Amino acid sequence: MRIVDVWGQMPTTRMAEAPWLASLSRWTGQSPKDYTPGPERTLTAMDNAGVEIMLASAWYGPGGPLVSNEEVAAQIAAAPDRLKGLASADLSRPMEAVRDIRKWVGEEGFVGVRVVPWLWNLPPNDRRYYPIYAACVELDVPFCTQIGHTGPLLSSEVGRPIPYLEDVLLEFPELKVVGGHLGFPWIPEIISLAHKFPNFYVDTSAYAAHRFPSDFTEFMKGPGSGRVMFGTNWPMLSPAQCLEGVERLGLTEKQHQAFLGDTARKVFRLQS
């Protein structure tokens, strides 16, 4: 199985030491130093679980880059066939954001863009995102975001799928959107959006397979086949942890392959 992990990052020290990560440290039993793995430990964790490709993301917030696009480029240079970049951008500087996305995606080969709403405390239908959406459509790459409750110690409100993300899907019908972290506790809303919008996808990062809600698992076995992708949220969770229980989901072989790699390869246009 050629597994693709669509949500990973290699945090910098400035990100790992952010106060809002305290809740994740409490849940995972890790300390800030555990959140700065670097490419070598990342590749080892991938190998241990049979992950072929991980998407490593930049992180930009109101205070500046927590993991810059330049830092992600340096990380993936260690293993460009195994690590692929997701760009991020400063929402408060719209033209600079567009230029950055055109550079890192259009020129440097990053495969998508990620902005995390809770970090900005701005829902995805805020006007400040819209130049980024236009750039993603122009470059034909997915916009990746977080849906559902916020694990870090910041508000969950901006992770509500309806109306915030629905507005974006209505206004940008060409935009491919990948919602990360499953969407709990609004799973019915996530399923309804997936039924309504063919360009909306979900990734399972931050959840081990044995913890998927039953209604989400049923969705994966029905109309959600080909719309759900595997993710980890590495290094907060390892690929091995997130794959625990995957064989007990009851997926067909085709659904299994779609979930663990085929859908991601199609959506992010990955070559391997």
Side-chain angles (χ1 to χ4, degrees):
M1 178 66 65
R2 299 160 62 216
I3 300 174
V4 177
D5 177 358
V6 302
W7 188 308
Q9 54 263 314
M10 284 172 268
T12 59
T13 300
R14 63 185 180 276
M15 177 178 174
E17 293 178 348
W20 39 259
L21 274 182
S23 58
L24 297 187
S25 297
R26 185 175 69 251
W27 294 340
T28 64
Q30 299 184 80
S31 66
K33 64 180 176 60
D34 296 315
Y35 292 147
T36 55
E40 184 176 349
R41 185 156 70 91
T42 298
L43 291 167
T44 298
M46 292 167 62
D47 290 340
N48 289 342
V51 173
E52 183 179 35
I53 294 173
M54 178 182 286
L55 307 189
S57 181
W59 281 63
Y60 280 60
L66 294 163
V67 185
S68 70
N69 294 313
E70 290 82 0
E71 286 165 324
V72 170
Q75 292 166 353
I76 65 178
D81 293 335
R82 306 284 308 279
L83 302 170
K84 305 296 181 181
L86 292 179
S88 194
D90 186 342
L91 297 182
S92 67
R93 300 174 180 272
M95 283 313 303
E96 182 178 311
V98 168
R99 293 186 189 104
D100 279 349
I101 290 168
R102 286 174 176 165
K103 173 184 176 181
W104 293 104
V105 173
E107 300 174 19
E108 301 297 332
F110 282 27
V111 297
V113 175
R114 174 169 290 134
V115 179
V116 182
W118 55 259
L119 195 55
W120 291 88
N121 197 30
L122 294 173
N125 63 353
D126 186 276
R127 62 182 174 78
R128 281 159 282 196
Y129 290 86
Y130 279 44
I132 291 177
Y133 299 150
C136 287
V137 171
E138 177 186 58
L139 294 163
D140 192 24
V141 294
F143 176 79
C144 306
T145 190
Q146 183 263 344
I147 52 178
H149 83 103
T150 300
L153 294 172
L154 292 168
S155 174
S156 294
E157 172 63 25
V158 293
R160 286 181 175 270
I162 298 174
Y164 305 131
L165 196 57
E166 183 180 45
D167 287 348
V168 175
L169 291 162
L170 286 168
E171 293 178 358
F172 290 87
E174 299 169 78
L175 178 67
K176 290 180 285 188
V177 175
V178 181
H181 293 14
L182 215 68
F184 179 85
W186 299 297
I187 298 297
E189 293 187 15
I190 295 301
I191 293 173
S192 73
L193 290 184
H195 280 293
K196 187 173 181 178
F197 299 102
N199 284 343
F200 176 59
Y201 300 85
V202 183
D203 82 55
T204 61
S205 55
Y207 284 81
H210 68 89
R211 293 187 59 239
F212 292 175
S214 58
D215 50 353
F216 188 84
T217 300
E218 289 306 307
F219 171 66
M220 292 177 68
K221 293 191 287 187
S225 179
R227 306 290 290 282
V228 180
M229 305 179 222
F230 174 72
T232 62
N233 202 29
W234 167 262
M236 289 67 181
L237 290 174
S238 71
Q241 288 174 298
C242 290
L243 287 167
E244 183 181 344
V246 71
E247 300 296 340
R248 298 193 295 273
L249 294 176
L251 304 179
T252 66
E253 182 60 27
K254 182 177 180 180
Q255 291 166 347
H256 191 73
Q257 292 180 354
F259 168 48
L260 292 182
D262 287 354
T263 301
R265 283 186 169 80
K266 178 188 74 173
V267 172
F268 290 95
R269 295 184 296 168
L270 301 175
Q271 304 295 323
S272 64

